[in-house]
Amino acid sequence: MNEPVVVQGLTKYFYDESRGEVRAVQEVDFACRAGEIFGLLGANGAGKTTTLRMLATILAPTAGTASLLGHDVVREPEEARRHLGFYSSSTALYPRLTARETIEFFARINRYPAAQIAQRVGELIERFGIASYADVRVDRLSTGMKQKVSIARTVAHDPPVLIFDEPTVGLDVLNALELQERIREFRAQGKTIVFSTHIMSEAEKLCDRIAIIHGGRILACDTLDGLRRATGMRYLEDIFVCCVKGRE
Amino acid sequence: MNRESVRILFLHEMRMLARDRRTVILAIVLPLLVMPLMLYVVRSIERQRARSLKETTFRYALSGAEAGTVRRLIAARRAPGLRLEELPVTDAEAALRARRIHFHVRALSAGEAAALEEAEGEVSRRRPREAPAAPGEEAARPAGVPLVEIRFQGDREESRAGAAAMKEYLLEAARSERDRLLRERGWAMDPADLFRLERRSVAGAAQAAGSQIGKFLTLFFVMFLLSGGSVAALDSVAGEKERGSLETLLTTAARRSEIVAAKQLAILCVALAILLVNVANILAYVNFKLIELPADWEIAIGPAAPAVMVALLIPVGVFLSAVLLSLSAYARSYKEAQLYFFPVYLVSLVPAVAAVLPGVSLRSAIVLVPLANVSVAVREVLAGRFDWPMIALAAAVMVLAARGTMRLSTRMLSDERLITAADLDAAAWARGPALFSRHVFAWYAVMAAVLFAAAVNFPQLHSFRTQLLFNELVLFLGGSFLMIWKYRLPVRDALALRRPRAAVWPAVVAAVPAGHLAAAGVFRLADLVVPVPQRLLEQFGRELMPADVPAWQLYLFVALLPGICEEIAFRGPLLYGLRRRFRPATLVLVVGAIFGVFHIALFRLIPTAFLGMVLTALALLTGSIFPGMLLHAGNNAYAYWLARRNIPVSEWSWGWYAAGAAVFAACLYAIYRARTPYPGLHRVDAPRK
């Protein structure tokens, strides 16, 4: 298999005080190609974040395997992370660093070649329109500004795989649209993007393939047209409901 | 481990800390500005107070049949600098209350004194003329001796000072009078010439000063390092979790061990920097005479001592910074980390005071106890005694402890439950019992802090009854029911109110004397590690069994109340709250250790922790709180019964302890056979395929 992201039988159980044993993710399989936006579409609690956290090596799988560019997330977590940019609404920035320092730090710690860091930071500041506040501390920036810095730090080391876990949560329409535009740019650069959302329109517009996840299991995985053909429905919202109801 | 990654992370941590105003102000600016200012103000107030007292004319009243004698003594001997004025008053006590006089000297004849003591019920305090007062005991009045009583208002500074000055003055006057009488009756020589008494230390001044500093050096090092390091540590992981930047960091190419190493190095650097600032501060005060050293103060440290101390104290620094980092990693927020800090601080200070304990030598099992071994070793080194093999062993033990704690903090930073707890479970939303499990440590940390603060700050709680009533009823029982009410815990489950099998009861009854013997053996073993001075044990015995409390009350306060209230507190909500967080064996250790910590005194820590572990195991085996209550109350009552009959179990041979332990183990086995396990214990995550 040559796909940059390969997930096979990925499973995660954990024990929760109030709910007992929770089967958050059960035998999930998928693979993502280079230059593709792969969408994980599911309601809250469906298992999207847990799946992506296992890919990002924050959580260890209970069973199954996952690899990023051939690096197993359990056996070679550091190598896997070196090729990964992880963005989510819960991954915050360091408030006491400036935008420039933030991008520089993440480039360094992800082992981007030291000699090229200054040039890379300059490029990202230019490309993301951060120049006017590059030397301002993050805690003094607006939400939109922080979002740009956050995306810049995600790609600071130019990773081939990017994970966006519900990235537009809490953003206004304009900022959400801008973020979607950035993600398309990354696809154009040939990066592999795993994108999770519970917003149907976002998945519809952005994703090349969509996996519908519910109760920790993938119920359907195909292009939008493929899902339409399989269910006989036009809108993603109806397709989603059809899959979930069919399962229940 | 990639050194470059550690370097980048370390510089990053230091930059973040340097930009944190809270760190800079709390750690650097405040000690630099506030301490000199405070010292200056305190010294000014002290000088003013001394001047004011020196200029005060103490007004007093004199009453009683012996007033004339005392008046003559006062008149015969005027102390330089002491201004006294006797006021003629009809009611001296009223004048004292009305502040017209500073104190009242009541000079009573022997008859008057006896009548007064009779009226006040103090006859029992009087001793026969020939019986000397025990050392340190307030001398009671021998029969037939007049009594001079200086009555003053303890809440008034001037009244207190005046009464103290008058006491010294009258004692001196009494000595002069005694000498005069001796001379009048033919004593040829000056009583002061009977013999000359001198104390002379064979140790040099530098050695003595070194020993004195050495007693407290490790303690201060630990105090400064913990308080300074906490500023950085709490922000380092708990603060990052709260801000959400920890997850960002964990998705980078850096290893967990590299992150831990960098954070720990940063904590250590900040702690050492703060320590240096404080030491420099103190040296500056000494230089500017804000702190005055004794006149014969002399320090002479050889060339080896600094190197040895660095070798001993650096592992201590690493160990403490790892402890702080683990604490910060364990807490889910900055606030929670702050709550945990105080008990950790107190527990860390306990072994650090080992050097202060008399008779503790490095050539004992204490060399195996981290912190305590360095505390004693530093004292020995500063006193010029270099026991190289034991110093090396102490350093090795400390290095191993530091290494172990570092591993623990690395594991904590890999623990999914701790790094992503906020959204892995729904406890925060579910509230109730699920949330209690998350808060249980914080509750007991607060209870420990209240217990300690109340014991130190409220003298009203120093009496036997009030202290026990406060601890048992208010803190343990009240605290337990407050937790049950606040988190809506099911009372039957939270307190383990279940009926055990009938076979459990005879085994528990038999376990009382056997367990006591086994515990005495453990105490003897613990004594090898931290030798407990006999004086301390006797004092503890007196405090726990005051002579003026009837036996039935002692059984009530020492056995029944702790048996019920402490079991409810420690085998009730605590065990219930932690039951799913740890596996049973760890649960026994954790609950037992917390039980031991609540008994405050260092020498009681190991035996009470042992008892706590046994009681926890009993609760887990029977699923019920009742057998533990019987064993706890029975053990305490049995100990009291033995003490009343002067049966010295602590001096018995090791064979007795072994026999006790064997019978006790048999009892536990019988209980195990009749077990009805505690429900809902920790379950292991499903195994990986």
Side-chain angles (χ1 to χ4, degrees), chain A residues 2-167:
Chain A
N2 294 323
E3 284 93 346
V5 178
V6 179
V7 172
Q8 284 177 326
L10 202 63
T11 300
K12 179 69 183 177
Y13 298 165
F14 59 84
Y15 193 80
D16 181 274
E17 277 288 313
S18 53
R19 293 180 287 173
E21 187 178 77
V22 177
R23 300 181 170 211
V25 176
Q26 298 179 68
E27 294 174 7
V28 163
D29 299 303
F30 63 83
C32 312
R33 301 168 200 128
E36 176 189 51
I37 300 177
F38 181 85
L40 272 178
L41 178 69
N44 292 333
K48 305 184 294 291
T49 298
T50 306
T51 304
L52 298 185
R53 280 183 168 163
M54 284 191 278
L55 274 180
T57 78
I58 297 169
L59 300 180
T62 307
T65 59
S67 63
L68 301 180
L69 289 143
H71 300 291
D72 187 278
V73 295
V74 175
R75 287 196 301 270
E76 304 168 273
E78 288 83 23
E79 275 306 302
R81 287 200 298 268
R82 205 157 75 83
H83 297 98
L84 169 74
F86 185 82
Y87 178 104
S88 90
S89 52
S90 63
T91 48
L93 297 170
Y94 290 102
R96 288 172 227 140
L97 294 188
T98 66
R100 188 189 301 279
E101 287 166 348
T102 301
I103 302 166
E104 190 185 321
F105 169 69
F106 281 98
R108 276 189 199 287
I109 200 62
N110 284 308
R111 297 173 201 169
Y112 193 74
Q116 296 165 33
I117 285 178
Q119 190 191 343
R120 173 75 181 163
V121 172
E123 274 173 23
L124 289 172
I125 286 173
E126 201 59 42
R127 197 198 313 170
F128 288 96
I130 294 172
S132 59
Y133 52 87
D135 297 309
V136 176
R137 273 170 56 153
V138 166
D139 55 3
R140 292 176 194 150
L141 302 180
S142 69
T143 309
M145 291 169 172
K146 278 183 192 162
Q147 180 214 326
K148 285 181 183 171
V149 178
S150 213
I151 300 169
R153 75 95 194 137
T154 307
V155 297
H157 55 299
D158 199 15
V161 179
L162 293 171
I163 292 177
F164 287 90
D165 181 22
E166 304 210 67

